[in-house]
Amino acid sequence: MKTESLLAARTLNMGENAIREILKVVSREGMISLAGGIPSPESFPVNIIKKLSQLILDKYGDQALQYGLTEGFYPLRETLAKQLRKTDIIVSADDIIISSGSQGALDSLGKTLITKGDKIAVEAPTYLGAISAFNPYEPEYITIETDDQGIIPESLENILKKGDVKFIYLVPTFQNPTGRTLSLNRRVAVADLIKRYNTLLIEDDPYSALRYSGENLPQIKSIAPSNTIYIGTLSKILSPGLRVGYIVAPKAIKEWSVLVKQGVDLHTSSFSQAIGYEYLEGGYFDKHLPYILDLYKPKKDTMLKALKNNFPDSFTWSKPEGGMFIWVEGPKGFNAESLYHKAIQENVAFVPGKYFYTNNEGSSTMRLNFTMSSPMEIETAIKRIASLL
Amino acid sequence: MKTESLLAARTLNMGENAIREILKVVSREGMISLAGGIPSPESFPVNIIKKLSQLILDKYGDQALQYGLTEGFYPLRETLAKQLRKTDIIVSADDIIISSGSQGALDSLGKTLITKGDKIAVEAPTYLGAISAFNPYEPEYITIETDDQGIIPESLENILKKGDVKFIYLVPTFQNPTGRTLSLNRRVAVADLIKRYNTLLIEDDPYSALRYSGENLPQIKSIAPSNTIYIGTLSKILSPGLRVGYIVAPKAIKEWSVLVKQGVDLHTSSFSQAIGYEYLEGGYFDKHLPYILDLYKPKKDTMLKALKNNFPDSFTWSKPEGGMFIWVEGPKGFNAESLYHKAIQENVAFVPGKYFYTNNEGSSTMRLNFTMSSPMEIETAIKRIASLL
């Protein structure tokens, strides 16, 4: 039978993910990839997980393998609440839902909140995974202007003044794709605006633990708690393959999101959650994090140095203190997609920045990832790209 | 801020899951529960999983912890295809998507296929998890009449004649909640109908491996392959907590479901998938299954015998050859919900059957689970319920 005619209206809106196509190219022999957005496999605590997987089967036995609560494994939620309180996000286990990665969090929240046509304010450029989570619920996007300190509060206020925004979606720290961080003053300003305009913010925070220099900044959730939904993940500090993320949400949204998640996947893997709990509660995270930071910092420094030494003066780039990405902006008329096609001929891949915009901008921008390649490969890759400019 | 006003239209349609409330009661001290729908913890191969979790970290190392393909871990899909071919479902790894449990399969398919108002034909009574997966996409349900051999083909044909059915959803083997199995003749008749009326069927098959007596029946997928989407799971034969299920779908639906799933959770836990692969491919499933069957068969036999010895003649019940449930129907006027309230006073829980209907029927029915309690507890529970009749 012809099944295409059976697809839902929303499905036909979704379309192929261009970045997925790019990532297929990356697996070619000899390719140096600055394209992915994934942690280095060297960062994974394989031996710790080996030990913990035995420990949890001894300690919890069948419980680690049985159906669990949709809200998530209670001890994991407790230890997350304890960690969050250290960053002045004052919550208890009952305020937390464990999700199947951040992606699961974004899907549940999109499903709980978005009615077709609802307006969502996002950064330009913004995180693509959020767009692919929200799109099936058919929202409209309004883009907030950004500069090298993140979103510009005046631009946000102009949007909020017009009313009618369902929520704002931000990655305030070491953003994907730009690596930019919202400055302290602007965090305070955004917190003030969402309170004043009685608006909901989704603060997606996968990268803040990956800080290689500088001072921690307060999460917006800690400044405007009742207006903010916070999303965290263990993907960047333990393992993305375990698919453990979490949502901290105001009570009503939390409760409805649980019902929503129940229909989506009943609950997140009990086994993964138990590993996550023992990793955090057993102090393994505190011991392992410095190793990850020592692994990534030289990669970032190498990329920044190579850009400075090789790229023309007409290019600018972000200088993040953490995370996984550097964002490059070329001069007017520079076409990053043409460059991408030349670069893959030279065995170097990156992602043209235009894919991170919801409004067809960004043709002169590019996202460079520094976690997956070695410092030497990063230097080679930047030189090769520079030679094509 | 007041967040209730921010909920999506679909969210307010969802409502509390009554069974979830019932299952909270079940955890009370001293309660004998025939209410749950979950495997016995004794059925889990804890030691095998212990061994396999070490093996996969040795064998795959960081790969078991990294982001993976949305479609799922290729070796697992290959071994599932091999298993399916043994039951005359002739497919390859490329036809299979790994889902986050069957629930994840139902959500992805609902999201891919259902536009608001679409008509879905379901059994009465039907599996509640499917309803909670489909409801957020706002379909309308048409109920197909059933008897003790499953759905009645004439009733299905009357529905299909009117046209306009997006898909049919069935659990043909050891159905939840009734334990009933669609007979061979009816399987052939249903396959013929869906081909003739060019209709799509979702065949959800979590229980067919749990057969304690009788002969295996062909899956409808093997008779009408291009009209059928097949859903399987490792939850009942390995562990539900790992959250590994799978979808076998015609090409176009498979490809769109991958895009949909990408937005929902990127992919199912790599670690869980690798455990599932080694469990099947290493022959552990073949060795462990007889243990599960030996565990459940006496429980089922005890329940059937206790019903026969203790329940009034005015009650009838299903006599399944497998699965996890027995379905009891009382005489006209019997109110299973009143009985439930009395039963929990006597420390016995079950689920009133009306919750499994989408059309407000079933007030005189009840679902009894036999996997979670011991044979002795089952006998005690049935006697206590009988004494309340």
Side-chain angles (χ1 to χ4, degrees):
Chain A
M1 66 184 295
K2 277 199 71 68
T3 49
E4 283 84 348
S5 60
L6 295 175
L7 299 171
R10 85 176 66 73
T11 305
L12 296 167
N13 288 336
M14 289 199 257
E16 280 287 335
N17 181 336
I19 293 186
R20 214 164 167 251
E21 296 310 302
I22 288 175
L23 293 179
K24 283 182 188 162
V25 170
V26 163
S27 55
R28 275 199 225 152
E29 181 79 26
M31 185 72 71
I32 304 178
S33 174
L34 312 178
I38 67 181
S40 168
E42 297 163 86
S43 76
F44 302 152
V46 178
N47 287 323
I48 297 172
I49 294 174
K50 221 162 144 176
K51 187 169 140 184
L52 295 180
S53 63
Q54 299 303 288
L55 182 142
I56 61 170
L57 287 166
D58 287 333
K59 190 167 161 184
Y60 306 104
D62 50 69
Q63 259 194 68
L65 303 172
Q66 186 57 285
Y67 286 113
L69 286 180
T70 302
E71 291 87 337
F73 186 50
Y74 198 81
L76 174 60
R77 292 153 65 209
E78 273 185 313
T79 196
L80 286 169
K82 206 159 64 181
Q83 299 258 346
L84 287 164
R85 286 196 295 267
K86 288 184 203 160
T87 66
D88 293 325
I89 296 177
I90 310 302
V91 291
S92 77
D94 291 330
D95 302 309
I96 298 175
I97 310 171
I98 306 300
S99 58
S100 299
S102 290
Q103 193 69 37
L106 292 165
D107 172 66
S108 287
L109 292 171
K111 202 167 185 175
T112 304
L113 295 169
I114 304 170
T115 298
K116 183 176 179 170
D118 277 354
K119 294 188 179 67
I120 300 176
V122 297
E123 293 159 285
T126 190
Y127 173 53
L128 262 195
I131 302 301
S132 70
F134 299 154
N135 270 352
Y137 308 112
E138 303 176 87
E140 289 172 22
Y141 298 103
I142 307 174
T143 54
I144 316 165
E145 287 170 46
T146 59
D147 61 20
D148 57 5
Q149 292 185 65
I151 59 161
I152 300 168
E154 291 70 24
S155 169
L156 177 61
E157 182 156 20
N158 284 336
I159 292 164
L160 297 182
K161 256 183 197 157
K162 291 180 197 139
D164 213 20
V165 168
K166 184 52 95 66
F167 60 80
I168 305 161
Y169 170 76
L170 293 184
V171 182
T173 306
F174 312 138
Q175 193 228 23
N176 179 357
T178 63
R180 288 171 187 155
T181 291
L182 193 66
S183 65
L184 178 58
N185 284 346
R186 290 200 182 170
R187 283 171 194 244
V188 173
V190 168
D192 178 60
L193 282 171
I194 58 177
K195 285 191 232 176
R196 200 138 45 83
Y197 286 91
N198 201 28
T199 306
L200 188 67
L201 168 72
I202 297 182
E203 178 178 33
D204 189 0
D205 189 29
Y207 305 111
S208 63
L210 300 181
R211 173 175 282 283
Y212 317 123
S213 61
E215 294 294 313
N216 286 329
L217 292 171
Q219 275 87 352
I220 300 170
K221 177 74 178 167
S222 71
I223 320 177
S226 72
N227 291 66
T228 307
I229 297 173
Y230 180 84
I231 301 177
T233 179
L234 304 188
S235 291
K236 309 303 186 281
I237 56 166
L238 171 57
S239 144
L242 295 175
R243 312 299 306 125
V244 180
Y246 57 97
I247 304 170
V248 187
K251 194 163 186 287
I253 293 174
K254 184 249 167 184
E255 286 176 358
W256 285 100
S257 298
V258 170
L259 277 184
V260 161
K261 178 177 168 64
Q262 194 176 23
V264 173
D265 63 8
L266 286 183
H267 64 85
T268 296
S269 164
S270 310
F271 200 64
S272 291
Q273 291 187 70
I275 291 175
Y277 165 66
E278 293 292 342
Y279 181 69
L280 296 173
E281 188 65 21
Y284 296 99
F285 164 60
D286 295 329
K287 272 180 244 162
H288 187 69
L289 181 63
Y291 170 81
I292 303 179
L293 301 182
D294 287 347
L295 181 69
Y296 289 162
K297 183 176 190 302
K299 297 182 179 204
K300 188 204 69 164
D301 291 343
T302 300
M303 186 175 275
L304 285 174
K305 201 174 151 196
L307 284 166
K308 197 174 168 197
N309 291 343
N310 297 284
F311 263 46
D313 286 344
S314 53
F315 283 72
T316 57
W317 48 87
S318 60
K319 283 143 195 105
E321 296 181 329
M324 297 170 50
F325 305 104
I326 290 173
W327 183 250
V328 177
E329 296 193 58
K332 217 176 156 164
F334 165 67
N335 186 322
E337 195 165 29
S338 311
L339 179 68
Y340 163 77
H341 289 292
K342 288 184 216 158
I344 57 173
Q345 300 304 321
E346 304 291 324
N347 274 343
V348 176
F350 63 86
V351 182
K354 68 170 194 176
Y355 295 119
F356 302 100
Y357 286 82
T358 57
N359 58 0
N360 297 316
E361 291 180 8
S363 61
S364 64
T365 61
M366 47 208 273
R367 186 190 77 173
L368 306 180
N369 164 270
F370 56 77
T371 56
M372 275 300 281
S373 305
S374 69
M376 203 185 291
E377 288 169 327
I378 288 171
E379 197 176 341
T380 305
I382 296 295
K383 279 184 181 162
R384 283 192 202 159
I385 298 174
S387 72
L388 297 169
L389 291 173
Chain B
M1 66 184 295
K2 275 197 74 63
T3 50
E4 282 85 348
S5 60
L6 296 176
L7 299 171
R10 86 177 65 75
T11 305
L12 296 166
N13 287 336
M14 290 199 257
E16 279 288 334
N17 180 337
I19 293 187
R20 212 163 170 255
E21 295 310 303
I22 287 175
L23 293 179
K24 283 182 189 162
V25 170
V26 163
S27 57
R28 274 199 225 149
E29 181 81 24
M31 184 72 69
I32 303 178
S33 174
L34 312 178
I38 67 180
S40 167
E42 296 163 87
S43 75
F44 302 151
V46 179
N47 287 323
I48 297 172
I49 294 174
K50 220 163 143 176
K51 188 170 139 184
L52 295 180
S53 62
Q54 299 302 288
L55 183 140
I56 60 170
L57 288 167
D58 287 333
K59 190 167 160 184
Y60 306 103
D62 50 69
Q63 261 193 66
L65 304 172
Q66 186 57 286
Y67 285 114
L69 286 179
T70 302
E71 291 87 337
F73 186 50
Y74 199 80
L76 175 60
R77 291 153 64 209
E78 273 185 314
T79 198
L80 287 169
K82 205 159 65 181
Q83 300 258 346
L84 288 164
R85 286 196 294 267
K86 287 184 203 160
T87 66
D88 293 325
I89 297 177
I90 312 300
V91 292
S92 76
D94 291 331
D95 303 309
I96 299 174
I97 310 170
I98 306 300
S99 58
S100 299
S102 290
Q103 193 68 37
L106 293 164
D107 172 66
S108 287
L109 292 171
K111 201 168 185 175
T112 304
L113 295 168
I114 304 169
T115 299
K116 183 174 179 169
D118 277 352
K119 293 188 179 65
I120 300 176
V122 297
E123 294 159 284
T126 190
Y127 173 53
L128 262 195
I131 301 302
S132 70
F134 299 153
N135 271 353
Y137 308 111
E138 302 176 87
E140 287 171 23
Y141 298 101
I142 307 174
T143 55
I144 315 165
E145 286 170 45
T146 60
D147 62 19
D148 57 7
Q149 292 185 63
I151 59 161
I152 300 168
E154 291 70 26
S155 169
L156 178 60
E157 182 157 19
N158 285 335
I159 291 164
L160 296 182
K161 256 183 199 157
K162 290 180 199 140
D164 212 21
V165 167
K166 185 50 96 66
F167 61 80
I168 304 160
Y169 170 77
L170 293 185
V171 183
T173 307
F174 313 138
Q175 194 229 23
N176 179 357
T178 64
R180 287 172 188 156
T181 291
L182 193 66
S183 66
L184 178 59
N185 286 345
R186 289 199 182 171
R187 282 171 196 245
V188 174
V190 169
D192 178 59
L193 282 170
I194 58 177
K195 285 191 232 178
R196 200 137 46 82
Y197 287 91
N198 201 27
T199 306
L200 187 69
L201 168 73
I202 297 181
E203 178 178 32
D204 190 0
D205 188 29
Y207 305 112
S208 63
L210 300 180
R211 174 174 282 282
Y212 318 122
S213 61
E215 294 293 313
N216 285 329
L217 292 170
Q219 276 87 354
I220 300 171
K221 176 75 179 168
S222 70
I223 322 177
S226 72
N227 292 67
T228 308
I229 297 172
Y230 180 84
I231 300 177
T233 179
L234 304 188
S235 291
K236 309 303 187 282
I237 57 167
L238 171 58
S239 143
L242 295 176
R243 311 302 304 124
V244 181
Y246 56 98
I247 304 171
V248 187
K251 194 162 185 286
I253 293 174
K254 184 247 165 185
E255 286 177 358
W256 285 101
S257 298
V258 171
L259 277 184
V260 161
K261 178 178 168 64
Q262 192 176 24
V264 172
D265 62 8
L266 287 183
H267 64 87
T268 295
S269 163
S270 310
F271 200 65
S272 291
Q273 291 189 72
I275 291 175
Y277 165 65
E278 293 292 341
Y279 181 69
L280 296 173
E281 188 65 22
Y284 296 100
F285 164 59
D286 295 329
K287 272 180 245 164
H288 187 69
L289 180 63
Y291 170 82
I292 302 179
L293 301 181
D294 286 349
L295 181 70
Y296 289 162
K297 184 177 189 301
K299 296 183 180 204
K300 187 205 70 164
D301 292 344
T302 301
M303 187 175 277
L304 285 173
K305 201 173 150 196
L307 285 165
K308 198 174 166 198
N309 291 344
N310 298 284
F311 264 48
D313 287 343
S314 54
F315 282 73
T316 57
W317 48 88
S318 59
K319 282 139 196 112
E321 296 180 329
M324 297 170 48
F325 305 104
I326 290 173
W327 183 250
V328 176
E329 297 193 59
K332 220 180 152 157
F334 165 68
N335 186 323
E337 194 165 29
S338 311
L339 179 67
Y340 163 77
H341 289 291
K342 287 184 219 157
I344 56 172
Q345 301 303 320
E346 303 292 322
N347 274 345
V348 176
F350 62 86
V351 182
K354 68 170 194 175
Y355 295 119
F356 302 100
Y357 286 82
T358 55
N359 58 0
N360 297 316
E361 290 181 7
S363 61
S364 65
T365 63
M366 47 208 272
R367 185 189 79 173
L368 306 181
N369 164 272
F370 55 77
T371 57
M372 275 299 282
S373 304
S374 69
M376 202 184 291
E377 288 170 326
I378 289 171
E379 197 176 341
T380 305
I382 296 295
K383 280 184 181 162
R384 282 193 203 157
I385 299 174
S387 72
L388 297 169
L389 292 173

